[in-house]
Amino acid sequence: MSCGGETPLYHHNMELMKSQGKVIYLQASLSAIIQKLKASNGFEKRPLFQKSQSPEQILKNLLEEREPTYKKADHIIEIDRLENPLNEILRILKV
């Protein structure tokens, strides 16, 4: 299951998800996320980034706030260094 970025942050959701299966955090660098959002017009599509603060700064602040919870995942895959993260996910899940 893939969840939205805020899901693990509330109501003990991370613990609940971990109790139901393996939780994998697909970690990307800030620069990679920014590049992806720019390429897909993601900054323009998301209301969160329409605030007066720069979209890059908003994203940086979000990552700083969320990453401690994300790092509680059972596995962390640094996707910037992988050509195909799916192979690593399948290895972890032993599929």
Side-chain angles (χ1 to χ4, degrees):
M1 171 176 104
S2 175
C3 65
E6 290 187 351
T7 302
L9 305 177
Y10 302 109
H11 311 292
H12 305 287
N13 285 343
M14 178 62 85
E15 291 79 13
L16 179 62
M17 290 187 302
K18 289 176 78 166
S19 74
Q20 299 301 306
K22 294 179 183 178
V23 176
I24 301 171
Y25 169 32
L26 301 177
Q27 183 181 36
S29 66
L30 179 61
S31 61
I33 296 169
I34 290 170
Q35 183 179 10
K36 240 183 176 12
L37 285 169
K38 285 182 177 178
S40 67
N41 293 321
F43 286 127
E44 291 81 20
K45 294 177 186 175
R46 292 175 170 83
L48 172 68
F49 296 117
Q50 304 308 311
K51 298 179 180 180
S52 59
Q53 194 177 17
S54 79
E56 290 85 355
Q57 187 61 47
I58 292 170
L59 188 56
K60 182 177 186 252
N61 293 344
L62 283 174
L63 281 176
E64 287 173 359
E65 173 188 317
R66 295 174 177 183
E67 197 135 60
T69 300
Y70 292 170
K71 287 188 173 184
K72 292 179 183 177
D74 299 309
H75 303 275
I76 299 172
I77 299 174
E78 296 176 12
I79 62 172
D80 291 358
R81 63 179 180 79
L82 298 174
E83 187 173 315
N84 187 357
L86 179 59
N87 292 334
E88 184 66 14
I89 295 168
L90 294 174
R91 185 192 66 74
I92 290 168
L93 298 176
K94 296 180 180 157
V95 176

